[in-house]
Amino acid sequence: LPIDRNLTDRVLAGDRRAVARAISVVEEAGAEGRALIREIFAKTGRAYVIGVTGAPGTGKSTLVDRFVVEARRAQLTAGVLAIDPSSPFTGGAILADRVRMTSHDADPGVFIRSMATRGHLGGLALATGDAALVLDAAGFDIVVIETVGVGQDEVDIVSASDIALVVLVPGAGDDLQAIKAGVMEIADIFVVNKADRDNADDVVHAVSASLALQTFGPGAWAPPIVKTNALSGDGADRLWAEVERFRHRMGPAAGDRRVAWQARHLRNLLAAAFVRRAEAALPPGEFDRLVADVVARTLDPYSAVASIVERV
Ligand SMILES: Nc1nc2c(ncn2[C@@H]2O[C@H](COP(=O)(O)OP(=O)(O)O)[C@@H](O)[C@H]2O)c(=O)[nH]1
Ligand SMILES: [Mg+2]
């Protein structure tokens, strides 16, 4: 496939329009996107990737906005990917996140992009990971990925990050929010946002009670709980300080995390590539015939797979 060198070069030079275009290309999860990633990959791995997850309406976008202000204060540039379940798939058009309060438009050190959750052929986690690589290659110091903590896709996205922030808010059943979503285990920092509300401390206590049930070995990171008011910006500096503390404390362990993630990622890509190859190697209609045989119970699924593997 011919590679658009011009696009690659412009991404590496940090050209914003090229970055936007490149994200659209990788969102399509086709050969062009794979070629682009191949071209830029050696220039990635430098950005610090921050995953932010939590239920809808917990104030993630508002908080990320504040967070970006802190990053800029620290002389760091920031790329933001907001995975927005409410935005329809636009084929890559740039959507303004409706709740952004601060205008970063005039700031070349900030790039914000909304991505729809539907319409990604290769899966949301893959599209998001590749979009993060584009921002990384373009030279952004930090890449923030905001995602709604509901499904496996979102957990995958956050576990691909260097640090995971889980956002909770005061309200009914809040002590269970994180546990229900299965993100309790992946949180490096708990954020109790909307701390301007009365019962914010109830959430803090619920989280610390559940953390108290876990044992943290020597040198292990015990997730701190940070109260924020994203509307006023209160606590954003403390949140930033905790992220910095984690980054410095977890230096070598961060490498292990990337190794573990990369191993899983390669296996997933291998599985997908292998399925593509296997299906292509079968005579037309053969796969469907095997499915029919399994449904009819004349063939078991393990033997069906074995018969395909033999032929590849
Ligand atoms: N009272 C209060 N409202 C907040 C706070 N942070 C965000 N909000 C509001 O909560 C709503 C949802 O915020 P948003 O950032 O879109 O949440 P997201 O869906 O998690 O991205 C918006 O109306 C925000 O203005 C906060 O700290 N306190
Ligand atoms: Mg949001």
Side-chain angles (χ1 to χ4, degrees):
L1 191 97
I3 293 158
D4 185 349
R5 298 254 172 223
N6 191 30
L7 181 63
T8 306
D9 290 344
R10 282 165 58 218
V11 167
L12 295 177
D15 176 330
R16 303 172 71 84
R17 302 226 332 248
V19 168
R21 168 79 194 120
I23 292 176
S24 300
V25 168
V26 299
E27 273 186 300
E28 280 156 28
E32 198 189 342
R34 288 194 291 272
L36 180 74
I37 294 299
R38 240 178 258 139
E39 287 288 299
I40 65 171
F41 194 74
K43 297 288 190 328
T44 65
R46 291 182 287 203
Y48 197 68
V49 182
I50 301 166
V52 180
T53 192
T58 49
K60 296 179 298 298
S61 297
T62 319
L63 191 67
V64 166
D65 216 62
R66 294 288 181 187
F67 197 78
V68 166
V69 172
E70 295 298 321
R72 297 300 289 137
R73 229 172 245 160
Q75 313 290 321
L76 299 175
T77 57
V80 177
L81 295 172
I83 316 300
D84 188 348
S86 56
S87 68
F89 186 55
T90 57
I94 300 166
L95 296 171
D97 206 348
R98 287 175 299 285
V99 298
R100 300 282 163 205
M101 299 179 306
T102 320
S103 175
H104 300 290
D105 289 352
D107 184 352
V110 178
F111 183 96
I112 297 171
R113 168 71 171 250
S114 283
M115 290 173 70
T117 49
R118 277 184 289 278
H120 299 291
L121 290 175
L124 179 63
L126 194 64
T128 308
D130 285 350
L133 287 175
V134 169
L135 293 172
D136 188 344
F140 288 100
D141 298 312
I142 66 168
V143 172
V144 184
I145 304 175
E146 173 196 333
T147 178
V148 175
V150 282
Q152 188 56 45
D153 261 351
E154 285 75 12
V155 172
D156 285 349
I157 289 165
V158 173
S159 50
S161 308
D162 293 310
I163 182 169
L165 315 190
V166 171
V167 183
L168 305 171
V169 288
D174 283 302
D175 46 332
L176 292 174
Q177 290 174 107
I179 300 144
K180 259 196 307 206
V183 291
M184 195 75 189
E185 300 78 13
I186 58 169
D188 298 305
I189 297 176
F190 286 96
V191 183
V192 176
N193 191 41
K194 307 200 181 183
D196 49 309
R197 289 190 183 165
D198 292 339
N199 40 1
D201 284 329
D202 294 352
V203 187
V204 173
H205 294 144
V207 175
S208 52
S210 97
L211 286 175
L213 299 174
Q214 299 176 36
T215 43
F216 297 98
W221 173 264
I225 306 165
V226 182
K227 285 200 284 183
T228 56
N229 174 349
L231 283 185
S232 69
D234 238 26
D237 54 344
R238 282 193 301 279
L239 180 58
W240 177 258
E242 288 294 354
V243 169
E244 285 291 73
R245 190 166 72 86
F246 181 87
R247 169 145 69 154
H248 292 124
R249 262 281 299 285
M250 301 305 283
D256 296 347
R257 188 160 162 155
R258 285 188 175 192
V259 169
W261 182 79
Q262 216 46 262
R264 258 188 299 137
H265 186 53
L266 288 193
R267 284 203 174 87
N268 289 339
L269 292 180
L270 178 64
F274 194 80
V275 167
R276 277 199 302 271
R277 178 75 63 89
E279 289 198 42
L282 294 176
E286 175 70 2
F287 186 79
D288 292 338
R289 265 195 298 280
L290 290 170
V291 171
D293 288 348
V294 173
V295 171
R297 297 300 192 269
T298 55
L299 183 68
D300 71 274
Y302 296 109
S303 304
V305 168
S307 87
I308 296 170
V309 170
E310 268 163 27
R311 281 179 272 184
V312 179

